């Protein structure tokens, strides 16, 4: 069983013999299938310096193309008031109220 949640029927509560609260057999974190278990991670292939540079160049070109398509501009590093177009954890795109 699991210390106090009732899974397995040997829990420490009066409800333990009746299956506890949730009715499932999992207890807290990692109880479900495949959760909390280390999964095999495919290791990245070793790249030569030329391959690294080629990938870096391709990524830079792809990024520049996307910046051009979306019309992004770095306006200033000071506080800007406007409407948030897209928000992420570390950055946000803002359409400024005053275009200047």
């Amino acid at each position: 069983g699991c210390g106090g949640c009732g899974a397995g029927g040997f829990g420490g509560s009066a409800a333990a013999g009746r299956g506890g609260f949730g009715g499932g057999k999992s207890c807290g974190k990692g109880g479900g299938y495949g959760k909390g278990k280390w999964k095999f991670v495919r290791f990245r292939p070793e790249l030569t310096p030329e391959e690294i540079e080629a990938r870096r160049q391709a990524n830079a070109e792809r990024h520049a193309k996307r910046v051009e398509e979306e019309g992004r501009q770095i306006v200033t590093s000071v506080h800007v008031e406007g409407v948030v177009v897209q928000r992420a954890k570390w950055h946000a795109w803002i359409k400024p109220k005053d275009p200047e």
Side-chain angles (χ1 to χ4, degrees):
C2 177
C5 75
F10 296 107
S13 67
R18 297 190 300 273
F21 293 103
K25 295 220 175 184
S26 64
C27 302
K29 285 182 135 183
Y33 175 75
K35 290 191 177 182
K37 295 178 184 171
W38 188 84
K39 295 184 179 84
F40 180 76
V41 178
R42 224 181 314 167
F43 296 102
R44 292 195 288 184
E46 293 295 325
L47 299 175
T48 64
E50 293 82 19
E51 290 173 327
I52 292 172
E53 187 56 38
R55 285 190 180 192
R56 190 171 289 150
Q57 184 70 24
N59 288 341
E61 290 171 3
R62 195 174 325 122
H63 179 70
K65 180 182 173 189
R66 181 175 292 172
V67 168
E68 182 68 30
E69 287 175 357
E70 296 175 356
R72 298 188 210 170
Q73 291 179 337
I74 297 176
V75 179
T76 180
S77 60
V78 298
H79 181 77
V80 176
E81 288 191 21
V83 179
V84 176
V85 176
Q86 184 177 11
R87 180 184 165 278
K89 190 170 186 178
W90 302 112
H91 67 274
W93 292 357
I94 298 174
K95 186 173 186 179
K97 288 181 182 176
D98 182 20
E100 297 177 32

